[in-house]
Amino acid sequence: MRPLLGSALLLLSLASQASVPLWQVDPVHSKLLVAVEHAGFSQSLALMPVSTGVLHYDPEQPDSSRVEVVLQPARLDFGDERWNAAVHGSGLLAVDNYPEARFRSDKVTLDQNGDLLIDGTLELRGVSLPLQLRAQRNGQRRHPLPPFRQTVGFSATTSLSRAAFGADAWPDMVGDTVQIRIELEATRDRNAELAPLTPDQR
C-alpha cells in the first residue's frame, strides 16, 4: 500500500509541475547589481548580466514555482579594468577555476506582504550554500512590442558573506557583506527546460 501511495504522490507532484508555465530569462533586460563596501569610504557597485535561466511560474500556484539561473562571474563589471582584474582573481571570484555560478531554488513561498520568498542553493567558487531571495512580481502580460510575447518581470534582493564562499582576500579593504539586487524579465517558452527534480525536491 505504501509504495502505491508514494507513486501516486509522485505522479501528482509531476502533474502539478507540468501544469506550471515555463519562462525563459530575457538576457537583454535581466541584470544583477552588486554593492560591497570599499575601505569604509563607499559602496562599490558592479553589474552582471543574467543571461541564462529558466522559471516555472504561475501566480496562482506560487509554491509550485522553480528557478534555475546560471551566471558568469567573469562578466561582473565594476567599471575599471584593474578593479575587475582584482575581483576576478584567485583571492576573490577565481573565475579561471570557477567560470560559472548557479542558483537553484528548493522552495518558493508567498509571505503575508505578497512577496515571494525563494529559498535555494547558490554554488559559487565550488562552494554550495543556502540563500534566500525576496522577490516582487512587477508585472505579467503580453509585451507591447514585437514579437508580443507573454512576459513577466521581477525585482529581487538578497545578501551573502563573500568569505563563506572562500572569497576572503583583502578583508581590511573590501567588506564581507555583499548586497545583491536582481532585475529580471522572462518570456513564455514551451521549449524551455529545467534540470530534473531530485528526490528531496519532489
Side-chain angles (χ1 to χ4, degrees):
M1 187 66 179
R2 288 184 178 178
L4 290 174
L5 180 59
S7 298
L9 291 174
L10 174 57
L11 289 173
L12 286 172
S13 174
L14 293 175
S16 174
Q17 284 290 340
S19 69
V20 179
L22 277 167
W23 307 78
Q24 189 82 40
V25 167
D26 176 355
V28 176
H29 299 103
S30 300
K31 296 287 189 296
L32 181 149
L33 174 68
V34 164
V36 61
E37 180 188 322
H38 174 238
F41 295 118
S42 67
Q43 293 287 316
S44 287
L45 303 177
L47 280 175
M48 180 194 300
V50 181
S51 54
T52 306
V54 180
L55 318 176
H56 257 306
Y57 177 71
D58 181 344
E60 302 301 322
Q61 304 179 66
D63 57 346
S64 295
S65 300
R66 292 176 61 208
V67 182
E68 185 170 355
V69 176
V70 179
L71 302 168
Q72 297 172 305
R75 300 186 70 183
L76 186 67
D77 184 10
F78 280 87
D80 179 84
E81 290 186 8
R82 293 177 61 187
W83 191 200
N84 285 344
V87 171
H88 298 162
S90 60
L92 294 177
L93 292 178
V95 299
D96 288 341
N97 294 324
Y98 306 101
E100 287 187 347
R102 183 184 300 268
F103 176 80
R104 183 174 180 174
S105 67
D106 301 313
K107 180 177 68 173
V108 179
T109 55
L110 198 66
D111 76 358
Q112 60 185 4
N113 298 317
D115 291 346
L116 292 163
L117 301 180
I118 306 169
D119 290 285
T121 300
L122 174 64
E123 181 181 346
L124 177 67
R125 296 184 90 257
V127 178
S128 296
L129 292 173
L131 186 72
Q132 184 183 78
L133 305 177
R134 177 177 290 273
Q136 298 84 40
R137 186 187 66 160
N138 299 320
Q140 179 180 336
R141 60 184 181 276
R142 187 184 185 205
H143 200 285
L145 297 176
F148 307 112
R149 300 181 67 180
Q150 285 292 321
T151 302
V152 65
F154 300 90
S155 298
T157 57
T158 189
S159 64
L160 58 84
S161 161
R162 65 183 182 91
F165 290 90
D168 54 4
W170 309 304
D172 295 332
M173 288 292 295
V174 181
D176 180 56
T177 300
V178 180
Q179 303 287 341
I180 297 172
R181 173 179 170 181
I182 303 164
E183 295 294 328
L184 185 142
E185 293 185 21
T187 55
R188 278 293 301 273
D189 188 345
R190 292 177 176 82
N191 297 316
E193 294 183 358
L194 283 170
L197 287 172
T198 58
D200 61 333
Q201 291 177 308
R202 296 182 177 129

